[in-house]
Amino acid sequence: MNHTTFGLALLALLASSACSQAQTSPEALAKAVQGAFSKGDFEAARKLADIDLAPAQLHFFYFDAVRECASEAVCSTSTAAADEELITRLKEQAAQINAEAPKVEGTIKIEMKAKDGSSSGKMEMPYAKVGNAYKLVSIAYSPAEIARLKATSNESLVKEFFGKGIRDSQGELRTDWEKAATKLPADGGAVGKAFVEQTRKMAAAVDAKDPDAAMNSGGQMAQIVYRDKDFEGNTIPMAQRQAKLQVQALRMLRDVKVSGGYQFEDAAVLLIEARDGIGWAVHGPILLVQEGETWDKAGDNLVSVPAAK
């Protein structure tokens, strides 16, 4: 593990769900969470939390904890009361993304200790009784907020993005970045084509459960994340590498379509439509920086919403 404490903010965004076996007490829920996490059972963990209205990044943090408890750490769970600090944090988190905070009756605490003894960590997940069962609960977007996000245009998103400023190659924050940049054609030109192909190859690696292909489908970070040996030179089991790829895929973009953009120095802003690893529709501007032959994400002002059924 590369952290000592799990923050509540991101990991708390878990919604209630219907499970195949109802958890009739907080203690039963804690036991079910520990069982699913320690086995690395993504399907069982998914049934313990309805995360339909949680964005992809939250899916990633939740399931990455499942992955860690199965491979890198020994995890134990317990129940705890919901204190005022937790309630306040949830309300603040909800306000930041124009969402609604849930009713919380308590938390499931997870203690995580690295198997090699190098680190330890903690996280808390709020729960409440939903119907006849205790389930993990979350802040969630209201139907009105989902409709607002869906109606937000690329034009307004890119205007807002440029207004905040983009740093140039010298590190200077430029609010005139758009004026200094060259406008790209509708398909994003060479940058757009390269990014579409790059994301296509990575999606193919994900679908094939092939971490070796994933290593060759991105930049330096991909080579580190999906590596076949650890920093001591020991071989990483294929199953662990595949689990990491599966979890990382939750926040990846796929089926990318470009509708224009801008380029300045070694950076480009593309206007895109895509879907993420949980199937949500994504649109808006994404900032890319060229690293060798790849274009790495350096920022964005994307919005994502549940895809229309």
Side-chain angles (χ1 to χ4, degrees), residues 60-79:
F60 165 76
F61 278 100
Y62 178 59
F63 287 106
D64 199 48
V66 177
R67 181 194 64 78
E68 284 200 44
C69 287
S71 60
E72 302 172 8
V74 175
C75 299
S76 60
T77 62
S78 61
T79 60

Side-chain angles (χ1 to χ4, degrees), residues 59-213:
H59 285 242
F60 165 76
F61 278 100
Y62 178 59
F63 287 106
D64 199 48
V66 177
R67 181 194 64 78
E68 284 200 44
C69 287
S71 60
E72 302 172 8
V74 175
C75 299
S76 60
T77 62
S78 61
T79 60
D83 57 31
E84 286 303 316
E85 181 180 358
L86 181 146
I87 301 298
T88 299
R89 286 184 183 180
L90 281 176
K91 290 180 178 179
E92 290 175 349
Q93 289 287 321
Q96 288 175 10
I97 62 170
N98 295 322
E100 300 173 345
K103 176 183 177 182
V104 178
E105 296 182 25
T107 66
I108 303 298
K109 288 191 173 183
I110 299 183
E111 299 275 349
M112 309 175 75
K113 295 183 179 180
K115 291 180 179 179
D116 63 6
S118 62
S119 61
S120 62
K122 299 178 182 179
M123 69 175 178
E124 294 180 282
M125 296 179 290
Y127 71 78
K129 195 168 188 179
V130 180
N132 295 320
Y134 284 91
K135 301 173 183 178
L136 302 173
V137 292
S138 164
I139 66 175
Y141 287 128
S142 67
E145 178 61 13
I146 291 174
R148 186 191 71 80
L149 291 172
K150 193 176 297 185
T152 306
S153 68
N154 273 355
E155 291 73 21
S156 62
L157 289 169
V158 76
K159 182 178 180 180
E160 180 181 54
F161 193 46
F162 285 145
K164 295 176 181 178
I166 296 176
R167 296 194 182 278
D168 61 21
S169 60
Q170 303 302 312
E172 181 182 352
L173 188 64
R174 301 279 296 269
T175 54
D176 65 340
W177 194 94
E178 178 185 6
K179 295 180 180 178
T182 300
K183 192 169 185 178
L184 298 173
D187 63 357
V191 180
K193 293 174 183 176
F195 186 63
V196 168
E197 180 62 10
Q198 184 177 312
T199 53
R200 185 197 67 77
K201 286 183 177 180
M202 186 62 79
V206 169
D207 293 343
K209 301 178 181 180
D210 187 347
D212 291 324

